[in-house]
């Protein structure tokens, strides 16, 4: 919960509406701008992309519509349940889009690296 850090660097759970106090996909949202085709940069950030993708995949649950990140919130929207607004839902398009982007971008470095033997060796060492 990166957005709940105070000026003393304490990251404690915030009291309040989950709409703004609980967003488990913040790290994956931030990772979507890390991806770059520069191979040396990718070698350095690969652990971040990999772990973010693993977190997202672990958060998926079976729903009536298939796999979805659940529970989910949206930092901008409430959902209506029995006519009442609520901040937590079984799934949200916001979380689904973030997970989809994270899983796509985390698989791209491997495809890029396989074209270069040197980067393939770096990737293999980091996997081990």
């Amino acid at each position: 919960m990166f957005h709940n850090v105070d000026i003393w660097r304490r990251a404690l759970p915030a009291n309040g509406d989950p709409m703004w106090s609980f967003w488990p996909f913040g790290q994956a949202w931030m990772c979507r701008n890390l991806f770059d085709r520069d191979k040396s940069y990718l070698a350095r950030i690969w652990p971040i992309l990999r772990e973010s993708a693993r977190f997202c995949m672990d958060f998926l649950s079976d729903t009536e519509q298939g796999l979805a990140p659940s529970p989910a919130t949206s930092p901008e929207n409430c959902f209506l349940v029995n006519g009442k607004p609520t901040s937590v839902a079984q799934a949200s398009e916001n979380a689904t889009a973030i997970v989809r982007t994270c899983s796509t971008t985390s698989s791209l470095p491997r495809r890029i690296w396989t074209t270069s033997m040197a980067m393939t060796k770096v990737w293999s060492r980091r996997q081990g």
Side-chain angles (χ1 to χ4, degrees):
M1 293 186 239
F2 72 97
H3 61 290
N4 290 328
V5 178
D6 62 21
I7 63 171
W8 297 277
R9 298 184 311 255
R10 289 186 294 179
L12 301 173
N15 292 328
D17 191 331
M19 174 189 224
W20 53 264
S21 66
F22 174 73
W23 193 35
F25 298 103
Q27 94 293 348
W29 179 78
M30 290 172 59
C31 281
R32 59 192 183 111
N33 293 320
L34 289 178
F35 181 77
D36 192 301
R37 293 192 179 274
D38 178 291
K39 293 176 184 176
S40 63
Y41 174 71
L42 282 174
R44 289 195 329 263
I45 68 162
W46 170 242
I48 297 167
L49 293 174
R50 180 189 63 218
E51 295 307 314
S52 184
R54 283 183 179 170
F55 173 84
C56 289
M57 296 302 113
D58 286 345
F59 220 86
L60 294 176
S61 298
D62 284 318
T63 69
E64 292 177 10
Q65 289 79 32
L67 287 175
S70 181
T73 61
S74 173
E76 292 103 12
N77 299 302
C78 283
F79 311 99
L80 291 178
V81 177
N82 298 326
K84 295 181 182 177
T86 186
S87 298
V88 180
Q90 183 178 28
S92 73
E93 183 53 36
N94 174 282
T96 302
I98 291 169
V99 169
R100 185 180 311 116
T101 301
C102 184
S103 64
T104 301
T105 57
S106 68
S107 68
L108 289 175
R110 186 174 189 177
R111 287 186 233 153
I112 292 169
W113 289 344
T114 56
T115 62
S116 165
M117 284 306 287
M119 290 311 296
T120 302
K121 289 177 185 175
V122 169
W123 183 80
S124 297
R125 279 187 298 223
R126 291 191 181 250
Q127 287 296 304

